[in-house]
């Protein structure tokens, strides 16, 4: 199943009048505010979010999994799925692989396939939170933190392998997410767990190619329920600072204690030059891994507001200087539809945050005019930017309404016909 | 200080062209969806939110209070402040009094003043969470729950007094919020505390005039830090069901444990015919009492979505069948500006929720099309309804942009000139 | 593998001197407080906690499962495992089955096996949170709440089947835990979900044998991440009250929002005559399903304090009038050792709560002497009751130190020899 | 009012027989474990907890304050109150002053008074979270973070003043707790707030006497409800690391998000050599400031377990190398009784943590024997150490049961007679 350029064109024909009206209105509003619409649209159009290979199939919880059909059965089919998303929205031009679920047998062929779909390979991800069938030693009690040096060595070797797979595909970063921690008071010596983890990370860091980054992801809880050995941004930053210039903190929206102020964390990490990447999703309770923007869209906007402010202050490029990825689990939605909704929500938040009148905000802040600060932020947030996002997509060759086109073309049915209704993609 | 009709007209002149454009665009969009814009605007215009008398001055925390100037020094001045808000936004046509902070000495005169400003008296509020200077017995260990019957009787008598004050002014409801509870394990016998509270409420209930309602407000914690004797909606509903048909639960957005699904609570209380009223504010951590919509505007929209769905299902009138009130504390903003922002946020959420395509949502729900359910909700939420709200206000004689007019007229300076810069309104 | 009486006797011989000393000291202390040690020990000895059949194997999270060896491969082996626990601690004299994981093919034989191990069958548990291989319709979008009547009927029929299996084994209660809910705003109409669930529960209730109870379990979140259709005690109580006298609320310690006051919930449910049963475990973040008492042992004590107070006030029998069960998941511990630790923690908390000087506590409460209230509770809690619990066990024929005996006898190794090292018990 | 040595002796006479029995039993148990009881008791006896001057009067919440009587009216009376606590428990040998509430007019005399009561002056505390009557510029929008340099300078000068007051009294540390932050999204530029705060702290740090420490306290929320500029341990550590060797992080138990693992934070800060001090209290919801050990005594034990492990690993002195202080608010208890309960809870947790068999724990950790890890910790925690604590107190000249003696001597009544029943101590 492939999206054809003519399908996109056909939808454009149907919808363009309505789109033109809405876009014209937006443009008019922007003109009044002396905002350069074309520049804005260019920024929106340049923004790309990587799709993780494990999010292309139905996810599950420990209580069960309710698979759909037509899920990708191979790395090739996963890449094709991302290619299709990217064809639709022109904003999903990267894929993030997970080893060992996605070991490329023929890296050259895989790379060509991706190239043909205009995709690049984003950060590669290691997995030491599960035991694989052929694995010598178990990660039941951790991997990089493990009290047994031979387990640590096995986990280090795995991570170095992952880097090599990534190199072959043109990735330039590895994300290390550890489930290491403890479920019971007393189970770990916290200091030893930290030191072991640090030394293990040093070994992996030592194997990084020159231009590579290492992202040290943190998580407050789950699957360990008492402590996590990289449990919050403070711990991740400790590791990253000790490791060196190529190590960064990675923020996943769902990996915090209740009520954490994530936007402040983002701002401080940018201040320290140590924010490396971002995993998008949404949640109400924990690492719920829901569609981006489905629960707290205003928080997402506030985070983008800090990202833009902080990146601009350091002269960073919005598109390339941070790793942007979705990390979600699709338990009750079609995974591809879910991803289309997530990317849309990200672009909307990004566009709204671009609209923030930073000069006025700065002045209001400097005069402690809290009422105006809120007005300025909410003026941007309350703006209906959907026509701007659609226009950016259109100019890049994407569909005005990707989800609608996905449905109109009955993509899922085609995939089921091609792949069967009982396929199960690797992943969570 | 009074807002003159000509001030409003003058602003309209300045802003009307821009407003007309935005409104025309909205109307066009609504037409395409076969939504009757005029009917919609009438609903928005009819919606009224009561202003609590204690929110007209600067609030504080246990750590300190940083008062502003020009705060109302008397009940009359409080009413004038609400009158001014109402003149500006035509959506604050009620005031909710707090006894003993606002005891009207001459009810007739007070009523006339309110009438002259087009204000009615919303639910009256009793206070047994503080000791008053002239009070015989202390509420240190609770009021309606107290182990000492004479304390309970004092608190009951106070509540009955409050009803009488309310009757004289034309109120038709009393809100009973109790800080009763315990700060230490063992301090209370939970069952006895419940029974005492229930019996006390019965006495107050017995004194209710025929058309009156009693709102039993719940709160999860603070100022008691271990248990609250009306601690959640389940407890409030228990009391309300035992008391009778005139007793209802009142929901305050800030009175829940972290991550509570308030919109579901609202839906179930409506289902049971026991939702009585609503206190608006916003919060991140607890009962932070921040400006409505400043932290979780999507949650506010989802709540309105349930309110409308549930009220329509019971044939309830949106404007009159529930008690709508703001309950916030203005620690770092001008209280009147804060209230204008809150009312605006409420109207925006209400308008967006009115836009939800209920027929389509129902169909999507019935076919478990979760993706469409979200699309339908977010299509309404992402719509920029500000021109609709402004138009509704304008048609009612209010200002297109109340906050801007408040600032342009330098209302606060006038109030400081009139009332002085060191005034402190009664309240928290 | 069976624990022999002589093994227990042998341990007693080794440990009895130390035990005698500690017990004598405890007895002396109790004598001074005029507490009848024998009566106390009898109460402790009578207390029985059911073991769920799914907790006999290694549990897992969505991220992985690290099985141990020697897990039970059949219902018979599960019963044998519980029998072994009961032989060791004489406090695990019941097993709670889960259908369809534990369908008894020959109920008579199963019953005899249980009888021979002095076990009875506690509440049976239905499962509509997973799809079974041979199942017609999917529970992906709920079971008793489902918008499609035929799905509801399937789920109702399953629950009625469960009752029949339970009847054949001598159970007298069914626990209905529903994962029904929604993961996205808009996915459900809350009222319809409630009504469908209620009507479905009515059908099941109608099939209850005369002496049976139905336990309606609630849970705040997971596996649904936006709403749960039986989400808190207030909702469970609504269902139970509407259903009738045989319906009760069941409390699981891990099923609450952060910071919930569970002991107050327990007290109120007992007050209403609607507390039916209890699932023990411990947790820091959510439904972590950790060993009882490993995180918040004082909370456990406070809960038992309310249970005893409330049951005594209603003249209820501590042992038989509520359903007591462990519901935990053993991810990094040997399941049987974990269960031994859990039962021990329960008995310790129960014994401590029995020591609370209720007369003095009542007096302190009635005089608002909060300091004394705390002293009285903590005096009981700080008491080292382990010798009392051991003595109660000993008098019942159990081991002084069950966990030590389990290890000394190398039970796990025997089980691995018998059953193999790659067995995986059914369950989570 | 002073506690006389003979009062203590008299109580000892009454209670000694019972105490001897309990102590003898404990000693026997310790002997069996080869623990040196005398050494243990010496450690317990050496432990001292500072009392904050603001905790000697009744505290309050924003909803009200219910004062008791006999509260200290002056710094001298505050010191006398702490002296009395110390006479009773011999474990409260320090007082922590708060400027400007406790400005000593005659430092020499104040020092002599403290000396006479065997008290030393612990860390001094600055206050920039309130405006004082005579203050030029307001802290409404922060102090060290303020956008206006002159406000920052005022706050810096105040902190330097506080250091000078402390020097005159023999303190050797300043605790800087900032309420700085924001209550609304957009109100602050996070980076600027951090930088301003950092530069302000640098100025204060520059004024530190050579042997002094600066404690940078963090807090998650309240009184600011959106962001705190020193909001978690990660931020505090950033400041402390940038400032230099004399700067440390201070942990207050109530200053975290829900479910935070405080013991892990403590362990990591010790690992980094950056833990400076500790504020004890207890809480269920936020900074509830309840009596130590009244809600989560096991957490307190786990924290002490890490403190001892971490301090021993660095060769630190338990008594002198960290600043130990209570920071609580006494809303419904007699402040002095509350403090006696808190110190007792601290000593019990410390004693239990001293009992942990560290060698066995280390071995269990190294073999991933999680079950044993828990057994080892809980064996210590379940031990009734009250006789050990009482013996330590007795050997130091304190009362066997301080709270009982406080009540038997009717201290509060004496204080009311001396000071009146309407006194209100400065503080929260």
């Amino acid at each position: 199943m492939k999206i054809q350029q003519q399908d996109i064109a056909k939808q454009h024909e149907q919808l363009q009048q309505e789109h033109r009206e809405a876009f014209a209105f937006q443009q008019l509003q922007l003109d009044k505010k002396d905002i350069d619409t074309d520049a804005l649209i260019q920024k929106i159009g340049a923004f790309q979010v990587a799709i993780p290979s494990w999010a292309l199939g139905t996810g599950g919880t420990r209580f069960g999994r309710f698979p759909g059909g037509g899920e990708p059965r191979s790395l090739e089919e996963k890449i094709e799925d991302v290619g299709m998303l990217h064809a639709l929205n022109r904003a999903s031009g990267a894929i993030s692989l997970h080893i060992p679920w996605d070991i490329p047998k023929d890296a050259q062929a895989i790379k060509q396939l991706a190239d043909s779909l205009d995709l690049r390979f984003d950060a590669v991800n290691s997995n030491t939170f599960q035991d694989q069938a052929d694995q010598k030693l178990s990660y039941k009690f951790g991997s990089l933190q493990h009290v047994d040096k031979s387990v640590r060595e096995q986990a280090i070797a795995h991570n170095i392998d992952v880097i090599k797979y990534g190199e072959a595909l043109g990735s330039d970063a590895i994300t290390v997410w550890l489930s290491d921690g403890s479920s019971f008071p007393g189970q770990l010596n916290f200091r030893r767990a930290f030191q072991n983890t640090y030394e293990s990370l040093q070994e992996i860091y030592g194997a990084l190619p020159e231009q590579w980054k290492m992202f040290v992801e943190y998580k407050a809880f789950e699957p360990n329920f008492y402590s996590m050995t990289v449990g919050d941004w403070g711990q991740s930053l400790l590791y990253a600072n000790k490791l060196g210039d190529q190590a960064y903190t990675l923020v996943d929206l769902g990996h915090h204690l209740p009520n954490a102020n994530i936007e402040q964390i983002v701002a401080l990490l940018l201040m320290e030059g140590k924010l490396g990447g971002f995993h998008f999703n949404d949640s109400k309770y924990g690492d719920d891994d829901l569609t981006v923007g489905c629960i707290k869209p205003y928080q997402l906007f506030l985070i983008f507001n800090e990202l833009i402010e902080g990146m601009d202050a350091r002269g960073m490029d919005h598109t390339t200087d941070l790793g942007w990825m979705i990390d979600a689990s699709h338990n009750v939605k079609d995974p591809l539809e879910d991803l289309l909704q997530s990317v849309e929500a990200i672009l909307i938040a990004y566009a709204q945050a671009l609209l923030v009148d930073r000069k006025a905000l700065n002045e209001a802040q400097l005069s402690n005019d809290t009422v105006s600060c809120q007005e300025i932020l909410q003026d941007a947030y309350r703006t209906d930017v959907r026509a701007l996002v659609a226009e950016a997509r259109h100019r890049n060759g994407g569909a005005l309404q990707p989800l609608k086109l996905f449905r109109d073309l009955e993509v899922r049915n085609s995939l089921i016909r091609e792949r069967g209704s009982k396929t199960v993609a690797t992943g969570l």
Side-chain angles (χ1 to χ4, degrees), chain A:
Chain A
M1 173 77 204
K2 254 191 135 173
I3 306 296
Q4 305 300 325
Q5 206 47 44
Q6 71 205 54
D7 299 325
I8 288 171
K10 210 166 136 195
Q11 189 195 52
H12 185 256
E13 227 168 299
Q14 288 165 4
L15 304 177
Q16 71 169 319
Q17 195 189 334
E18 195 168 349
H19 168 65
R20 281 302 131 210
E21 281 168 19
F23 178 63
F25 173 72
Q26 277 312 320
Q27 193 157 26
L28 196 73
Q29 304 299 98
L30 294 177
D31 287 352
K32 280 180 196 154
K33 293 179 176 175
D34 279 326
I35 296 175
D36 178 342
T37 307
D38 284 336
L40 184 73
I41 284 178
Q42 207 166 350
K43 280 187 183 174
I44 299 170
F47 202 86
Q48 298 294 317
V49 186
I51 305 297
S53 64
W54 61 90
L56 299 162
T58 304
T61 69
R62 63 173 168 136
F63 291 95
R65 189 177 188 173
F66 301 93
E71 301 192 354
R73 297 159 297 179
S74 63
L75 178 51
E76 285 77 4
E77 289 185 355
K78 290 177 179 183
I79 292 172
E80 283 163 16
D81 276 7
V82 178
M84 182 159 48
L85 295 177
H86 191 47
L88 285 165
N89 66 21
R90 302 307 299 162
S92 312
I95 181 164
S96 185
L97 298 192
H98 179 284
I99 308 297
W101 295 336
D102 304 309
I103 294 181
K105 275 160 220 151
D106 179 347
Q108 206 47 36
I110 289 292
K111 241 187 119 170
Q112 276 173 7
L113 174 61
D115 281 349
S116 76
L117 297 166
D118 201 14
L119 303 178
R120 59 174 195 80
F121 289 92
D122 201 75
V124 282
N125 302 268
S126 58
N127 175 344
T128 61
F129 52 88
Q130 292 178 329
D131 287 348
Q132 306 303 323
D134 56 347
Q135 190 176 312
K136 247 197 199 159
L137 302 163
S138 172
Y139 297 132
K140 184 168 191 166
F141 296 101
S143 57
L144 300 188
Q145 78 171 11
H146 203 284
V147 288
D148 182 344
K149 195 173 166 57
S150 54
V151 179
R152 297 201 297 275
E153 281 168 352
Q154 175 183 291
I156 292 165
H158 165 69
N159 273 276
I160 293 174
D161 277 355
V162 171
I163 292 172
K164 286 186 188 142
Y165 285 121
E167 256 194 302
L169 295 171
S171 280
D172 57 7
I174 179 171
T175 298
V176 182
W177 173 62
L178 298 173
S179 72
D180 290 35
S182 65
S183 275
F184 295 96
Q187 181 182 342
L188 283 188
N189 178 302
F190 294 129
R191 198 174 58 248
R192 182 163 49 215
F194 187 98
Q195 294 296 352
N196 282 343
T197 302
Y198 170 48
E199 285 167 33
S200 302
L201 286 171
Q202 273 182 310
E203 302 263 348
I204 302 164
Y205 188 87
L208 279 184
E210 212 174 319
Q211 296 305 323
W212 273 52
K213 294 179 180 175
M214 173 189 277
F215 299 146
V216 182
E217 190 171 354
Y218 62 88
K219 186 172 181 182
F221 60 95
E222 195 210 21
N224 271 299
F225 294 119
Y226 173 63
S227 73
M228 296 289 277
T229 298
V230 194
D232 62 13
W233 76 275
Q235 290 174 61
S236 171
L237 182 60
L238 263 187
Y239 289 110
N241 276 335
K242 287 174 196 277
L243 286 167
D245 287 350
Q246 289 173 266
Y248 294 86
T249 291
L250 184 140
V251 176
D252 181 300
L253 287 178
H255 289 193
H256 300 83
L257 293 176
N259 304 337
N261 187 325
I262 303 173
E263 47 270 35
Q264 187 183 18
I265 292 171
V266 163
L268 295 181
L269 286 170
L270 275 171
M271 177 185 81
E272 293 295 293
K274 280 299 198 182
L275 182 64
F278 221 86
H279 280 184
F280 293 106
N281 50 53
D282 212 339
S283 59
K284 194 168 173 64
Y285 304 103
D287 190 29
D288 310 343
D289 273 340
L290 302 180
T291 320
V292 182
C294 75
I295 301 287
K296 301 174 194 154
Y298 191 51
Q299 185 196 55
L300 184 68
F301 162 79
L302 293 174
I303 289 168
F304 265 109
N305 182 48
E306 294 304 327
L307 287 167
I308 290 171
E309 200 279 339
M311 293 181 85
D312 287 354
R314 300 182 74 86
M316 292 167 77
D317 183 289
H318 293 189
T319 312
T320 57
D321 285 353
L322 286 184
W324 309 108
M325 194 178 93
I326 289 169
D327 185 7
S329 178
H330 319 295
N331 303 345
V332 294
K333 287 179 177 174
D334 180 308
L336 296 177
E337 294 187 358
D338 199 337
L339 289 163
L340 289 172
Q341 288 187 312
S342 280
V343 174
E344 185 77 4
I346 290 168
L347 293 177
I348 286 174
Y350 177 56
Q352 289 169 328
L354 285 171
L355 288 183
V356 170
D357 185 339
R358 301 212 165 269
K359 193 163 159 289
L361 180 59
N362 191 44
E363 280 164 15
Q365 287 169 342
L366 287 174
S367 55
N368 289 312
D369 182 356
T370 306
V371 166
S372 289
C373 293
Q374 180 175 318
E375 288 293 303
I376 292 162
L377 283 190
Q378 295 204 331
D379 180 46
Y381 179 68
R382 288 168 174 166
T383 304
D384 188 345
V385 298
R386 288 176 290 178
L388 300 174
V389 170
E391 179 68 16
R393 194 157 46 224
H394 169 62
R395 292 188 187 178
N396 281 342
L400 281 179
Q401 294 193 19
L403 179 60
K404 182 171 163 35
L405 187 52
F406 181 91
R407 290 206 159 187
D408 289 348
L409 295 174
E410 300 194 344
V411 174
R412 181 55 61 188
N413 283 344
S414 297
L415 292 173
I416 290 175
R417 275 194 304 273
E418 278 174 43
R419 301 173 180 171
S421 65
K422 294 274 179 192
T423 59
V424 176
T426 47
L428 290 178

